[in-house]
């Protein structure tokens, strides 16, 4: 039986299957206790936790609620964050590694408790990390020993219930999965009941810090004054000289939602191999939709992004009996120098502005844990996990090495993008639904001819630090290879750290 082709347009199953309310754009100045910037899992959960404590909260979202990384997740709720615990013990010690696990475990239990009263397809699942390669079997054995040392309830397995021979696997029971937008849609309803003011299509671009508070400024010139500002956007909207763009790097990964001929055996799975493969199911119209994820790479770098979807399709055909791919989407994740998220004051001298970022693909528990920590900071409560996640921490190994490697990579793309003259097309050579870097008045520009033949022409220079963007065919976007900013075909910002659009160019000027 042949499979149908991969869908042409990226659209997450979560967003298509969840009805979410809409909210107005901010059109006035406000004064409140706490302003939360970002309408994903961290921002919505933080607003909920603070409002329950009697704090007056305003929530600002640059686009629509849950249209960012949270809306594009695979939505595994687990403390099994790839091969991390052996590495953490080596880098920060056993006690702090235990705290990393405990913070995420508490987040899991909070989500389990909240979901008990919500229709969000929440189900307990066993989580497996496995390897099919002999070279990684030893890594899994070390990780298992780290689990035991940290007191994590786990087991080893030599098989998983797929047509996929493996060397070994680590199993953690009683993890979970859910429909993230149904869960957070319910929480948004609770925010409305508690009087939280929510504004969509409101881009926060800067903050002014003063004694005892901060003012958040929007692109349209309005201000929200508060005692605390919480940056829960994917990339911090306010840097505060924390140089987050140099202390994190962006990766994209891909998901196919497929139907299969073989029944799904249950469980959540992640390979420790490269390229990675993630597998889970979710209910859809009385049957299982299987989510196949993986094929990570640095944003704006690598080969034709459509090929990543094709690689996932091939994996599904070979190992899962794929018969039809019905959804495709991709996600962007930020990774810190030491792989631990940044949660806390944006810099040491600015305690009224808190930031949460860098979840390294594990945003369901890390994002919820971040919201719980930020609640405690606003309420001036002690939190046992703050020292582990504090943004101003510095761990010499591996932070120095990672910093040097990532910023050398950035420099290479910054210079290489300016010197690359061989990749330009002529505008008239573009086919429908094709994007490319083109020659425009003797300079490089970014052009996309849509499916109707209309041309969208923008400056190809990223508005963050001046790198040259690259075409992302799989998602029809312009992606910056330096710090991960992404822009639509009309130049609008889709992902930070850039906060200004690419300049639109008029064809009649050519």
């Amino acid at each position: 039986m042949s499979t149908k082709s991969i869908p042409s347009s990226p659209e997450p199953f979560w967003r298509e299957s969840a009805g979410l309310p809409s909210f107005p754009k901010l059109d006035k100045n406000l004064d409140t206790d706490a302003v939360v910037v970002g309408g994903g899992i961290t921002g919505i959960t933080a607003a909920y936790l603070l409002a329950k404590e009697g704090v007056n909260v305003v929530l600002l979202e640059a686009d629509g609620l849950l249209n960012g990384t949270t809306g594009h997740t695979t939505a595994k709720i687990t403390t099994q964050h790839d091969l991390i615990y052996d590495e953490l013990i080596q880098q920060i010690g056993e006690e702090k590694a235990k705290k990393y696990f405990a913070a995420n475990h508490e987040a899991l239990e909070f989500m389990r408790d909240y979901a008990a009263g919500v229709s969000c397809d929440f189900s307990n699942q066993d989580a497996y990390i496995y390897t099919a390669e002999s070279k990684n079997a030893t890594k899994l054995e070390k990780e298992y020993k780290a689990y035991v040392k940290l007191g994590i309830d786990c087991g080893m397995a030599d098989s998983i219930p797929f047509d996929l021979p493996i060397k070994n696997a680590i199993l953690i029971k009683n993890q979970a999965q859910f429909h993230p937008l149904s869960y957070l849609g319910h929480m948004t309803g609770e925010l409305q009941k508690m009087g939280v003011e929510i504004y969509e299509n409101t881009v926060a671009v800067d903050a002014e810090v003063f004694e005892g508070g901060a003012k958040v400024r929007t692109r349209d010139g309005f201000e929200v004054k508060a005692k605390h500002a919480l940056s829960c956007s994917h990339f911090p909207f306010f840097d505060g000289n924390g140089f987050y763009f140099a202390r994190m790097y962006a990766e994209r990964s891909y998901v196919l939602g497929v139907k299969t001929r073989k029944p799904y055996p249950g469980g959540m799975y992640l390979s420790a191999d490269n390229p990675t493969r993630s597998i889970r199911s979710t209910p859809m119209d009385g049957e299982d939709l299987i989510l196949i994820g993986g094929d990570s790479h640095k944003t704006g770098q690598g080969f034709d992004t459509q090929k990543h979807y094709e690689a996932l399709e091939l994996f599904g055909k070979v190992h899962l009996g794929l018969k039809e791919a019905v959804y495709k989407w991709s996600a962007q994740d930020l990774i810190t120098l030491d792989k631990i998220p940044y949660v806390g004051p944006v810099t040491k001298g600015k305690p009224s502005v808190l930031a949460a970022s860098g979840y390294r693909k594990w945003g369901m528990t890390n994002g919820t844990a971040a919201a719980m920590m930020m609640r405690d900071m606003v309420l001036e409560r002690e939190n046992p996990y703050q020292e582990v996640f504090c943004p101003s921490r510095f761990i010499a190994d591996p932070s120095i090495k990672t910093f040097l490697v990532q910023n050398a990579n950035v420099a290479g793309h910054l210079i290489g993008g300016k010197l690359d003259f061989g990749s330009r097309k002529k505008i008239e050579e573009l086919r429908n639904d094709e994007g490319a870097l083109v020659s425009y008045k003797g300079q490089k520009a970014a052009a996309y001819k849509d499916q109707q033949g209309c041309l969208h022409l923008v400056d190809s220079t990223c508005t963050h630090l001046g790198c040259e963007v690259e075409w992302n065919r799989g998602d029809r976007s312009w992606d910056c290879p330096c710090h991960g900013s992404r822009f639509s075909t009309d130049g609008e910002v889709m992902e930070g750290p850039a906060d200004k659009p690419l300049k639109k160019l008029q064809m009649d000027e050519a």
Side-chain angles (χ1 to χ4, degrees):
M1 183 185 297
S2 62
T3 62
K4 295 183 180 180
S5 61
I6 297 170
S8 61
S9 298
E11 181 62 33
F13 166 71
W14 314 124
R15 287 198 60 80
E16 195 167 280
S17 59
L20 295 171
S22 59
F23 297 92
K25 189 175 186 178
L26 181 68
D27 61 358
K28 58 186 174 183
N29 295 332
L30 294 173
D31 197 333
T32 189
D33 294 334
V35 54
V36 175
V37 177
I41 189 167
T42 306
I44 291 174
T45 306
Y48 171 79
L49 293 171
L50 287 170
K52 282 199 72 176
E53 298 281 352
V55 177
N56 292 320
V57 181
V58 171
L59 175 62
L60 309 179
E61 165 55 41
D63 189 9
L65 290 187
L66 302 168
N67 198 31
T69 301
T70 299
H72 292 73
T73 179
T74 53
K76 294 178 177 178
I77 310 173
T78 179
T79 55
Q80 191 180 64
H81 294 176
D82 205 343
L83 298 180
I84 187 67
Y85 291 106
D86 179 63
E87 189 175 340
L88 288 181
I89 290 172
Q90 304 305 316
Q91 292 173 7
I92 63 176
E94 187 175 326
E95 203 57 41
K96 288 183 178 179
K98 281 183 180 178
K99 289 183 176 181
Y100 177 91
F101 168 76
N104 282 278
H105 180 71
E106 284 189 18
L108 188 160
E109 292 304 323
F110 168 84
M111 297 174 78
R112 194 194 310 277
D113 290 344
Y114 187 90
V118 180
S119 177
C120 61
D121 294 329
F122 186 97
S123 64
N124 295 317
Q125 299 285 336
D126 296 342
Y128 295 80
I129 183 166
Y130 69 89
T131 180
E133 300 180 5
S134 298
K135 65 181 181 180
N136 289 328
T138 301
K139 291 182 180 179
L140 258 72
E141 290 168 5
K142 288 182 177 179
E143 186 75 354
Y144 174 73
K145 290 177 181 177
Y147 279 34
V148 172
K149 188 177 289 186
L150 297 175
I152 301 172
D153 188 12
C154 62
M156 288 288 283
D158 57 10
S159 66
I160 57 176
F162 295 103
D163 183 18
L164 181 64
I166 69 165
K167 301 302 178 183
N168 54 19
I170 304 173
L171 160 68
I172 301 183
K173 289 186 175 293
N174 206 32
Q175 306 296 283
Q177 62 185 31
F178 70 156
H179 190 306
L181 271 61
S182 295
Y183 170 93
L184 291 165
H186 183 277
M187 194 174 283
T188 300
E190 294 301 301
L191 294 184
Q192 293 176 281
K193 291 177 185 177
M194 292 188 286
V196 173
E197 294 186 55
I198 303 173
Y199 298 93
E200 294 180 320
N201 301 302
T202 300
V203 181
V205 294
D206 200 5
E208 175 190 340
V209 180
F210 54 85
E211 185 70 29
K215 283 182 184 177
V216 172
R217 285 194 287 269
T218 72
R219 182 180 292 169
D220 293 331
F222 298 105
E223 294 182 340
V224 181
K225 182 181 178 183
K227 296 173 184 174
H228 290 91
L230 282 61
S231 176
C232 302
S233 51
H234 189 218
F235 194 95
F237 81 95
F238 174 66
D239 190 88
N241 294 324
F243 300 103
Y244 286 88
F245 65 86
R247 298 198 293 135
M248 294 190 289
Y249 62 94
E251 281 193 358
R252 294 204 69 72
S253 55
Y254 301 83
V255 182
L256 282 185
V258 307
K259 296 180 180 180
T260 61
R261 293 188 295 275
K262 299 177 181 179
Y264 191 76
M268 307 183 300
Y269 305 85
L270 178 71
S271 72
D273 306 324
N274 190 24
T276 57
R277 292 291 178 261
S278 167
I279 314 168
R280 66 155 287 193
S281 67
T282 190
M284 182 186 74
D285 299 331
E287 58 182 321
D288 283 329
L289 179 72
I290 313 304
L291 307 184
I292 308 171
D295 251 46
S296 301
H297 65 89
K298 282 197 73 175
T299 300
Q301 302 183 25
F303 53 81
D304 180 353
T305 53
Q306 182 65 18
K307 300 296 183 184
H308 296 292
Y309 290 114
E310 292 170 4
L312 297 180
E313 181 189 37
L314 178 61
F315 177 87
K317 288 179 179 179
V318 172
H319 300 295
L320 306 179
L322 185 154
K323 65 179 180 181
E324 182 184 3
V326 291
Y327 290 93
K328 78 167 187 179
W329 69 87
S330 64
Q332 182 141 312
D333 293 279
L334 295 172
I335 303 172
T336 68
L337 297 177
D338 58 12
K339 300 182 181 178
I340 302 169
Y342 297 134
V343 184
V346 66
T347 58
K348 281 186 177 180
K350 296 179 172 63
S352 59
V353 182
L354 307 176
S357 189
Y359 298 153
R360 197 180 63 93
K361 307 180 192 300
W362 301 104
M364 298 299 95
T365 57
N366 269 322
T368 302
M372 297 165 80
M373 283 184 266
M374 294 171 109
R375 171 202 58 195
D376 290 348
M377 290 176 220
V378 169
L379 298 175
E380 298 182 354
R381 294 175 180 167
E382 286 292 319
N383 187 287
Y385 312 123
Q386 178 52 38
E387 61 172 337
V388 177
F389 293 84
C390 181
S392 59
R393 69 181 184 273
F394 184 77
I395 302 166
D397 184 22
S399 293
I400 293 175
K401 183 196 297 185
T402 308
F403 178 85
L404 293 174
V405 168
Q406 294 305 326
N407 284 282
N409 177 277
V410 167
H413 280 275
L414 177 60
I415 296 168
K418 301 301 182 187
L419 298 178
D420 179 14
F421 296 101
S423 59
R424 300 185 197 174
K425 272 194 169 189
K426 294 181 179 179
I427 291 175
E428 55 269 25
E429 294 175 342
L430 289 176
R431 302 183 300 273
N432 285 5
D433 198 24
E434 182 182 12
L437 295 173
V438 299
S439 292
Y440 168 78
K441 287 189 165 185
Q443 301 295 320
K444 188 181 288 187
Y448 170 67
K449 185 179 284 187
D450 64 27
Q451 293 169 325
Q452 288 72 44
C454 296
L455 184 69
H456 304 256
L457 191 65
V458 295
D459 193 317
S460 62
T461 302
C462 178
T463 55
H464 177 226
L465 289 180
C467 293
E468 296 296 304
V469 297
E470 298 288 344
W471 175 240
N472 176 340
R473 182 166 77 100
D475 298 321
R476 295 188 183 92
S477 63
W478 294 105
D479 298 357
C480 177
C482 292
H483 298 109
S485 297
R486 298 180 63 234
F487 304 87
S488 72
T489 54
D490 286 322
E492 295 301 315
V493 176
M494 298 171 66
E495 301 268 3
D499 60 13
K500 296 178 182 177
L502 300 176
K503 180 184 176 183
K504 291 184 181 181
L505 304 174
Q506 295 299 322
M507 187 56 194
D508 58 13
E509 296 177 7

